[in-house]
Amino acid sequence: MQQYLDLCHRIVNEGTWINNKRTGKKCLTVINADFEYSVGANKFPLITTRKSYWKAAIAELLGYLRGYDSAADFRKLGTKSWDLNANKNPEWLANPHRKGEDDMGRVYGVQGRSWAKPNGGSIDQLKKIIRNLSLGVDDRGEILTFYNPGEFELGCLRPCMHTHTFSLIGNTLNLTSYQRSCDVPLGLNFNQIQVFVLLALVAQLTGHVPGTAYHKIVNAHIYEDQLDLMRNEQLKREPFESPRLTLNSEIKTIEDLESWVTLDDFSVEGYQCHPAITYPFAV
């Protein structure tokens, strides 16, 4: 929690105003931020200075791991996080590759589960990672990446959190996640939750002890219409202690994730927070 607040203070006090062409808004911006989450110690990084919608963040991660490309499928899991980018993004609405309502195109999980090969086949990156780690193999390339410049025009949004690298040291599994762009008031806690849960899940699926998740952000920003709420409300609140996350121990395979796992298989204990803050979302 303190890492999050430190970054917010840094942006407010040291950030530079940058015009964002895609959204038409200004962003108060800093470059380079590093977070660490102790997954093994189960210090779940939920924001406590406002309400965190952690279930929606986990639902989104499940959609990525299943390779979903429709906002409707994400809604069924329990999150509306892709509704606007799929259906309100002007550039995507005018894109000839868009298949219709709720279509997201080839973004995020589609790349992770079905990366297109030149010969017409595809690569399931996640299955390779799970297979290797389950055998105790770390080839220093246990990488899940959603960043495919050759197919940017086939999706509604370039991935922000784009690459996850798993590293096995003895029986301890660690994760390093890379993020090119971060909407700190709205998106960052989603991203923190997803990095933490991704390591916890993959460690459980592969029979390893979860260690540390390293979260690296390049461009961290607060939009101009978010700044007052951040400076005058959220940053004036005192944080509470971090809660704990529990996963259903029956989640054992990728097939489990793809079939029966729901939000009911994740529970949080000891979460105390301040009231919600409604930050504007930039499409």
Side-chain angles (χ1 to χ4, degrees), residues 1 40 50 126 180 184 221 248 255 260:
M1 179 65 210
R50 64 168 174 82
L126 183 61
R180 66 171 181 86
V184 171
H221 49 267
N248 184 344
E255 289 71 28
W260 57 263

Side-chain angles (χ1 to χ4, degrees), residues 246-262:
T246 301
L247 310 183
N248 184 344
S249 60
E250 293 302 311
I251 303 173
K252 297 177 180 178
T253 67
I254 292 182
E255 289 71 28
D256 292 339
L257 290 179
E258 292 172 334
S259 55
W260 57 263
V261 173
T262 70

Side-chain angles (χ1 to χ4, degrees), residues 197-218:
V197 175
L198 179 60
L199 177 53
L201 272 175
V202 173
Q204 182 165 306
L205 294 181
T206 59
H208 296 293
V209 176
T212 301
Y214 303 93
H215 181 182
K216 298 182 175 294
I217 302 169
V218 177

Side-chain angles (χ1 to χ4, degrees), residues 17-35:
W17 285 109
I18 302 294
N19 289 314
N20 183 261
K21 181 179 178 181
R22 180 179 67 85
T23 63
K25 298 179 181 181
K26 290 192 303 179
C27 302
L28 199 57
T29 304
V30 299
I31 301 300
N32 191 46
D34 289 289
F35 290 74

